[in-house]
Amino acid sequence: NGIGMSREDLVENLGTIARSGTGRFLEQLSGERDHDLKLIGQFGVGFYSVFMVADKVVVQSRRAGEEQGWLWASDGRNGYSIREADTPLPRGTSVTLHLKDEAKEFLDSWKIRQIVRTYSDHIGIPIILEHRPKAGDTKTNLGEPQQINEASAIWTRPKAEITDEQYKEFYHHVAHAFDDPFARVHFTAEGTLSYTALLFVPTQKPFDLYDPKRRHGVKLYVRRVFITDELDSLMPRYLRFVSGIVDSEDLQLNVSRETLQHGAVVARMRKAIVRRLLDELAVKAKPVAEGEEAPKGESYESWWGEFGAVLKEGLYEDADNRTKLLELVRLRSTHGQGWTSLADYVARMKEGQDAILYISGESHTALRTSPQLEQAVAKGVEVLLLDDPVDEFWLQEVRSFQNHDFRSLTRGDIDLSGVKGETEPKPEEALDDTDLKRLIARLKASLGDEVGDVRASKRLRDSAVCLVADDQGMDLRLERFLKQHSQLDRLSKRVLEINGQHELTRRMAAMAVDDAAGLQFDDLAKLLLDQARIVEGEPIPDPGAFSRRMSTFLAKGLAA
């Protein structure tokens, strides 16, 4: 029911085969559906794509202000014909497709609905599906004409006119989700590049969040016509949980996905979209000031528990937004049971403390009892407890925060004696330097190449021994992770640290000068090494030998 076309319009718009690359398009049609579908975007062809499914197309049209209507017909291969309509036509245009036998699926209403809902759901024109009986058809219950598209785009309306419920309904529609959105971003960019974005951050973690094949849920539209939902370059991978739409006014409708993936226009949109999303998350992460009402919905800490591990991927992937991401990061620490920000950690640093201390492992609960923490706990120094596998990787890229270096408690020699903290109790007894050096030499001889070194520890208080990596070595957990994924052939040799104040090491120092206790000393040294391996979560080379040594010493202890 539009303006319609005259005879000249039909010749100009439908009869010029070479127009807009149509001639080349028809030449390259192969008859294979998947191949031919790709040609549509390549050549900018709309109308002539009908010949992929139809062996005849008839266009009836009458231009507004004219009495005569016209019929245009073509099979797409032998030219076309135009003649006057035999009967009066209404103003506007109708297009009739005579489908090929292999394309009869497009006569099914479910197929038509699927196509319209996918590609034309939000264009501003209603699309009506009507079942018309064929000649001689005895069926009368064909149903009333139905509008099968929304015919409106919520993102084109002013934000003040859209209610929270309408936003939620659209989120459920576009994300195929049942939870309420945790955050949303709705903005319009104008100027040299014009587009509108309406994006949602979910509250609940998708079941396939860690699937390598998962894509983000952002769909690209051009003037409310759907183009693709497989544009990986539109959103960084660490924001793959985001859903929504981006509707551009500048892109061409016939743009191919291959062109978009590396296009400068998409890169500019991505930069602005990511910045807006991170800014919105920063608002959500902002602490509630005293006297202010807490925002409705899920807390940021609860949301971080679901999505934090994924967002931290951006710390090593996205150098441009690293500062913003570091402000969003929440981590466990020895300060309490909840989450802490890096800024809050720095604010609590002790006088004389110059580094941000951390320890990594499989569970923050288990890390709280790690022997490497003992000196820090005694001094009241806070330590970050990192239990996400991604932590080891972003720490290789993010070396510091607010001019404070990150430092692992399981690598190198740690000495917190310069930190002014709580008063440490003095040990009643401790090995003197001579006895300690003799014990270390004896342990090195007993353990041989099973360890990289043996040295006195400054980080232990209650435990007898622990394992650490040397100063230039890889962090213990990162090395184990790489070996598990076949990125390393074997683990490097660990450094065994001993606590010269522990009763067991004092007894071992006495055994070190007793020739008669040589074999017993060797067994005890290996037992202590295996004990340290267990605490670190590393495998014991010979579980049977460990069990025999343990049983022997338990029996002697009971006999005593």
Side-chain angles (χ1 to χ4, degrees), residues 15-59:
T16 308
I17 300 297
R19 189 181 183 90
S20 298
T22 308
R24 278 205 299 145
F25 166 76
L26 292 176
E27 289 172 6
Q28 295 198 30
L29 281 178
S30 66
E32 293 184 14
R33 182 174 168 189
D34 292 341
H35 173 268
D36 294 344
L37 279 171
K38 296 177 182 178
L39 296 178
I40 298 173
Q42 182 177 348
F43 290 99
V45 176
F47 175 74
Y48 278 89
S49 65
V50 298
F51 293 109
M52 293 168 57
V53 296
D55 51 23
K56 182 182 179 182
V57 178
V58 176
V59 179

Side-chain angles (χ1 to χ4, degrees), residues 425-437 439 456-457 460-461 498-507 509-510:
K426 292 183 178 182
E428 296 181 2
E429 292 185 63
L431 290 174
D432 59 32
D433 288 343
T434 302
D435 291 340
L436 186 58
K437 289 177 181 179
L439 173 60
S457 179
L460 294 175
R461 287 295 178 270
I498 64 171
N499 180 2
Q501 302 170 1
H502 198 277
E503 181 181 359
L504 181 57
T505 55
R506 296 201 306 271
R507 289 177 178 269

Side-chain angles (χ1 to χ4, degrees), residues 369-478:
T369 60
S370 176
Q372 289 94 339
L373 287 178
E374 291 172 359
Q375 182 191 31
V377 170
K379 298 284 289 188
V381 175
E382 185 175 357
V383 180
L384 297 176
L385 309 173
L386 309 182
D387 56 4
D388 285 327
V390 70
D391 291 325
E392 295 294 346
F393 295 93
W394 67 260
L395 282 166
Q396 305 305 309
E397 298 293 331
V398 184
R399 301 287 184 171
S400 63
F401 177 77
Q402 294 185 2
N403 297 320
H404 296 285
D405 292 339
F406 288 97
R407 187 163 187 192
S408 172
L409 282 180
T410 61
R411 185 173 60 195
D413 192 14
I414 297 292
D415 184 6
L416 300 180
S417 59
V419 177
K420 295 184 179 179
E422 298 176 8
T423 303
E424 300 179 44
K426 292 183 178 182
E428 296 181 2
E429 292 185 63
L431 290 174
D432 59 32
D433 288 343
T434 302
D435 291 340
L436 186 58
K437 289 177 181 179
R438 186 184 297 114
L439 173 60
I440 290 174
R442 185 70 177 83
L443 285 170
K444 288 181 180 180
S446 293
L447 299 175
D449 60 2
E450 291 192 60
V451 294
D453 194 12
V454 180
R455 67 188 181 203
S457 179
K458 297 176 182 176
R459 74 190 86 211
L460 294 175
R461 287 295 178 270
D462 301 317
S463 300
V465 293
C466 72
L467 289 177
V468 297
D470 62 35
D471 293 303
Q472 305 304 319
M474 197 179 296
D475 196 81
L476 300 184
R477 189 188 182 205
L478 176 59

Side-chain angles (χ1 to χ4, degrees), residues 220 222 227-228 231 233-234 251-252 255-267 269:
L220 178 67
V222 174
I227 300 300
T228 180
L231 190 57
S233 60
L234 187 60
L251 295 173
Q252 296 298 315
V255 69
S256 69
R257 188 164 66 244
E258 290 75 15
T259 300
L260 284 170
Q261 286 288 9
H262 307 289
V265 173
V266 173
M269 288 195 296

Side-chain angles (χ1 to χ4, degrees), residues 130-143:
E130 180 180 354
H131 296 267
R132 293 186 178 178
K134 304 174 185 176
D137 198 336
T138 58
K139 293 182 180 180
T140 57
N141 185 24
L142 296 175

